[in-house]
Amino acid sequence: MTVVHSTLPESARAITGEALQETLVDLVGLSLMAKQAHWNIVGPRFRSIHLQLDEVVATARSYSDTVAERAAALGVPPDGRPETIGSAYGLPGAKEGWLRDTDVVRLMVESLGTAIGRLRNRVDATAEPDPVTQDLLIGLTAELEKQRWMFEAENWPRED
């Protein structure tokens, strides 16, 4: 049953809907993972990273709403149910228990980097079928790249 009829042709709606749903899963999962790290971080840089994690959560939550509403506007019902997020989430996650500040920074750099790579693929995939969605994904990519840069700068010089 389609409640909302898209202005996009069906093939474009299918590609765009998949990109939006995958992005929604990444964002909801990223917000939960960052909150988990926020609650469990320890170490000398606790406060600054603790606060920075809240910025990631705010960005992920804000964009997840925008992404879900874009999907709904195109006639694609967004699925943010816990079981959907749990089964489809593919970004690196936080381990259980206390998390050392340097480990949190590495986790965030890796998770954000993976999310950005996935977004760039979706930006390419939506270029032809829906430039409006592509624009939304480009803005999100820029925001997550900014967050990744800030985390990466936390561990300079690198401890490789």
Side-chain angles (χ1 to χ4, degrees), residues 48-127:
S48 64
I49 297 169
H50 179 82
L51 295 173
Q52 190 175 348
L53 288 163
D54 269 343
E55 291 179 29
V56 172
V57 171
T59 297
R61 287 180 178 170
S62 174
Y63 269 95
S64 65
D65 192 49
T66 302
V67 164
E69 289 177 354
R70 177 70 186 152
L74 295 176
V76 177
D79 188 355
R81 295 172 300 150
E83 58 271 24
T84 300
I85 304 306
S87 67
Y89 185 67
L91 303 178
K95 65 180 179 121
E96 184 179 349
W98 302 116
L99 302 169
R100 178 103 180 124
D101 54 1
T102 53
D103 294 337
V104 169
V105 169
R106 274 194 293 277
L107 172 64
M108 293 309 298
V109 168
E110 183 181 352
S111 294
L112 289 165
T114 301
I116 291 162
R118 293 164 61 112
L119 274 168
R120 287 188 172 279
N121 290 336
R122 294 177 201 133
V123 164
D124 290 344
T126 56

Side-chain angles (χ1 to χ4, degrees), residues 134-151:
Q134 182 193 42
D135 184 59
L136 186 157
L137 298 177
I138 288 169
L140 171 58
T141 302
E143 192 60 38
L144 293 185
E145 285 177 336
K146 181 178 107 177
Q147 292 294 332
R148 185 184 177 282
W149 155 62
M150 291 181 177
F151 277 105

